[in-house]
Amino acid sequence: MMPERLLIKNGVNFRELGGYQTTTGQQIRKRKLLRSAALSQLSTEDLNYLGEYGLKYDIDFRSPQERQKQPDRLPDQANYYFAPVFTVDQTRSQDDARQHDQRLLNEENAGFKQMLDAYNDIVLSANAKKAYRQFFDLLLANDAPDQSVIFHCSAGKDRTGMGAVYALTALGVDQATIRADYLASNVFLKERFKPMADRVPVAQQNPIYQENIQALSTVSEEYLDCALGTIQREAGSLEHYLATELGVTPAQQRDLKKIYLTD
């Protein structure tokens, strides 16, 4: 199923995770678990919409530089939590200096390799593990009715995408559905990433650069498989990784299911 798009006008990749079915036949509750790209450009109308949606917790996976450059805008009742996955944005999702990067301009597959490195760091780095542990703590805190949590980075595709992989796995959603949700970012971000001719000087519109920017600007099965392969090598399975590396206990998984799944 295609995820339900939230009716946000000044933002992209805003969507519900409610409605997904688990392997036990339950569903994730609507208006509880949301994912998105940046919240920095939200209009007053958007803020009112999220306020009516019950937004209580905002989890920001961006780097300190990204947060400083584009701080979140939130409805009054929402609380902000900073959980940086990277100390700098390795996915380069908001990096204006990309068009001057000689590797991206001249080296084939540089963008693709950079993304694989970023996904390995998402799995392996202590900073990322700390951020996702905080993420689960806040998911567990979101236990009141009529309250929702949103988690995001800049484009809502990589750091947010892996957050969704972890959360949906803990809730018992099957891996095919989780993969489809991850890849849906390419659909939701089409409007954000305009054709190359609209975004860079003519002198830099070479095929190598275009391919590298495409690699940085989209999600790929190969990126997800890189992360999952690293998890398999390090922990044996995704479920074991959640338990041993992120510290999500069986009791906490049961609590998460009580909070986010239908009876």
Side-chain angles (χ1 to χ4, degrees):
M1 60 177 282
M2 179 58 67
E4 178 184 340
R5 180 181 180 274
L6 297 181
L7 301 179
I8 297 294
K9 294 184 177 180
N10 286 12
V12 295
N13 215 359
F14 278 76
R15 43 188 159 123
E16 260 277 4
L17 292 179
Y20 284 141
Q21 193 166 12
T22 70
T23 56
T24 60
Q26 295 172 282
Q27 286 188 338
I28 298 178
R29 300 179 193 274
K30 291 289 186 73
R31 294 176 175 254
K32 286 298 290 182
L33 188 57
L34 317 173
R35 57 174 290 183
S36 75
L39 280 65
S40 56
Q41 302 298 319
L42 297 181
S43 66
T44 300
E45 184 179 355
D46 293 331
L47 295 176
N48 290 337
Y49 175 84
L50 290 174
E52 293 172 1
Y53 222 83
L55 183 61
K56 180 68 174 178
Y57 298 90
D58 166 33
I59 307 169
D60 185 354
F61 288 143
R62 297 177 301 166
S63 67
Q65 296 94 328
E66 291 170 284
R67 179 178 71 158
Q68 182 178 18
K69 184 177 180 180
Q70 295 186 322
D72 284 2
R73 299 196 69 210
L74 293 172
D76 290 339
Q77 79 276 13
N79 297 313
Y80 174 81
Y81 298 91
F82 186 46
V85 172
F86 301 135
T87 55
V88 296
D89 178 15
Q90 297 184 44
T91 63
R92 307 282 293 277
S93 57
Q94 292 286 322
D95 190 348
D96 295 334
R98 292 187 306 186
Q99 57 188 274
H100 306 294
D101 188 324
Q102 292 303 309
R103 287 186 67 238
L104 298 179
L105 286 165
N106 301 312
E107 183 181 323
E108 291 185 358
N109 295 319
F112 177 77
K113 293 174 184 176
Q114 188 168 309
M115 292 302 291
L116 295 184
D117 288 343
Y119 273 77
N120 272 320
D121 278 351
I122 284 175
V123 173
L124 296 174
S125 76
N127 209 72
K129 292 176 186 178
K130 178 181 177 182
Y132 289 117
R133 177 62 249 185
Q134 184 179 354
F135 170 57
F136 274 105
D137 287 338
L138 292 167
L139 292 184
L140 288 161
N142 183 42
D143 59 355
D146 304 318
Q147 286 185 353
S148 59
V149 57
I150 195 167
F151 58 101
H152 77 94
C153 50
S154 287
K157 65 185 183 73
D158 304 305
R159 292 163 286 185
T160 301
M162 287 305 297
V165 168
Y166 295 154
L168 294 176
T169 298
L171 292 173
V173 176
D174 68 274
Q175 289 300 311
T177 299
I178 292 172
R179 182 173 292 263
D181 177 78
Y182 168 81
L183 293 171
S185 283
N186 286 337
V187 176
F188 284 88
L189 288 169
K190 275 185 178 179
E191 295 178 2
R192 181 178 186 267
F193 297 112
K194 296 180 180 180
M196 186 63 56
D198 296 341
R199 296 193 289 118
V200 299
V202 173
Q204 294 173 356
Q205 290 176 27
N206 68 72
I208 292 175
Y209 185 72
Q210 291 186 37
E211 181 180 336
N212 285 330
I213 292 301
Q214 179 74 7
L216 294 173
S217 302
T218 55
V219 292
S220 163
E221 296 219 40
E222 291 170 286
Y223 302 160
L224 180 58
D225 287 340
C226 174
L228 295 178
T230 301
I231 287 170
Q232 182 77 22
R233 289 191 298 273
E234 291 296 312
S237 70
L238 181 51
E239 291 78 9
H240 196 241
Y241 177 87
L242 295 180
T244 60
E245 300 301 320
L246 302 187
V248 182
T249 67
Q252 288 173 337
Q253 282 199 302
R254 290 192 293 271
D255 289 341
L256 287 167
K257 291 175 180 179
K258 289 177 183 176
I259 294 168
Y260 291 98
L261 301 184
T262 58
D263 296 330

